[in-house]
Amino acid sequence: MNILDKIVIDKRKEVDLRKGLIPISQLEQSVLFSRNTVSLAERLKNSASGIIAEHKRRSPSKSIINNSLNTQDVASGYENAGVCGMSVLTDGKYFGGSLDDLLTARASCELPLLRKEFIIDEYQILEAKAYGADVILLIAAILTREEIKQFSEFAKSLNLNVLLEVHNEEELQKSIMPSLDMLGVNNRNLKTFEVSLETSKSLSSIIPDDFVKVSESGISNVNAIKELQPYGYKGFLIGENFMKTDNPGASATEFIKELEL
């Protein structure tokens, strides 16, 4: 059993518990539920940098990355840096995140927000909308084609963008459908945790041009982005690189300045 399998087992228990605590009607009455969402896909299409900066306290592969920062400072710092969007980890057990982080980020910036989560139930998509997200992440490795279709169409009905993440060609082929906005290639091998940009390069030619291409994991310097741009990538998800510093916003500012040189 790999880490993803363990996470999904725990996530099913967690979602069942949350459903019992907060009914759907309560989520739909949230002040943020009627908010007009911002399209991350459109922002990425028109951006020179394409940076999606992440708020991440820890991860199964790296343990603690940064526990001392508050979400408000990180969100406003990223916005001032000029990133395209912000990814907020909301998984508690493995990543130290929460829906409160999403809520705080929403109150602190106008950026399009991605709820970075292991979505296995429509209820989590309603939560994303109720807590101020603009985008949801769907992970092909943990979903069937039917689930990807069901969840992405449901997200679109709520005016949320959909970023679908794949790790290989098999996942990509089962996932391509019109209800997605962005296709993300995760460069991290989930079995070994090794990271290689070659994954993004090799899959780029198979991703139809209708989708905004996003590369995730292992982007730790400007050269990685310059290497991937010729392959049609418009979005670059960067987490640990900024979060492992004392000031992620300042770190993102420097990164974008260097990229624009």
Side-chain angles (χ1 to χ4, degrees), residues 98-191:
S98 71
L99 278 164
D100 282 346
D101 289 335
L102 188 59
L103 210 51
T104 304
R106 178 73 292 146
S108 311
C109 71
E110 299 292 324
L111 292 168
L113 296 182
L114 163 70
R115 181 186 186 189
K116 187 94 174 281
E117 183 53 271
F118 301 86
I119 288 180
I120 42 107
D121 193 296
E122 278 189 4
Y123 182 83
Q124 294 162 287
I125 302 171
L126 288 166
E127 280 183 326
K129 177 78 171 169
Y131 281 79
D134 302 274
V135 193
I136 60 153
L137 174 75
L138 296 178
I139 301 171
I142 62 174
L143 300 170
T144 63
R145 181 173 173 83
E146 288 66 37
E147 286 171 326
I148 293 168
K149 186 174 190 294
Q150 177 195 340
F151 296 159
S152 56
E153 287 178 355
F154 184 59
K156 300 306 288 178
S157 75
L158 296 172
N159 288 319
L160 294 168
N161 267 189
V162 181
L163 167 63
L164 183 110
E165 174 180 302
V166 299
H167 296 87
N168 54 45
E169 185 175 348
E170 185 189 354
E171 289 176 7
L172 179 61
Q173 297 294 6
K174 81 168 181 184
S175 308
I176 292 172
M177 56 188 74
S179 45
L180 308 174
D181 301 284
M182 296 162 278
L183 269 162
V185 178
N186 193 330
N187 300 307
R188 190 184 305 282
N189 182 318
L190 289 174
K191 294 184 177 72

Side-chain angles (χ1 to χ4, degrees), residues 185 187 196-207 213-215 223-233:
V185 178
N187 300 307
S196 169
L197 295 183
E198 293 307 314
T199 312
S200 281
K201 291 177 185 177
S202 64
L203 293 181
S204 65
S205 60
I206 322 166
I207 300 173
K213 296 180 198 177
V214 178
S215 187
N223 289 343
I225 290 181
K226 291 187 170 169
E227 219 178 293
L228 290 168
Q229 281 173 332
Y231 289 86
Y233 285 92

Side-chain angles (χ1 to χ4, degrees), residues 69-95:
L69 297 168
N70 73 58
T71 312
Q72 186 178 347
D73 291 343
V74 176
S76 55
Y78 281 158
E79 186 169 41
N80 292 336
V83 305
C84 281
M86 179 175 173
S87 163
V88 183
L89 255 306
T90 60
D91 174 77
K93 182 169 181 180
Y94 295 90
F95 291 88

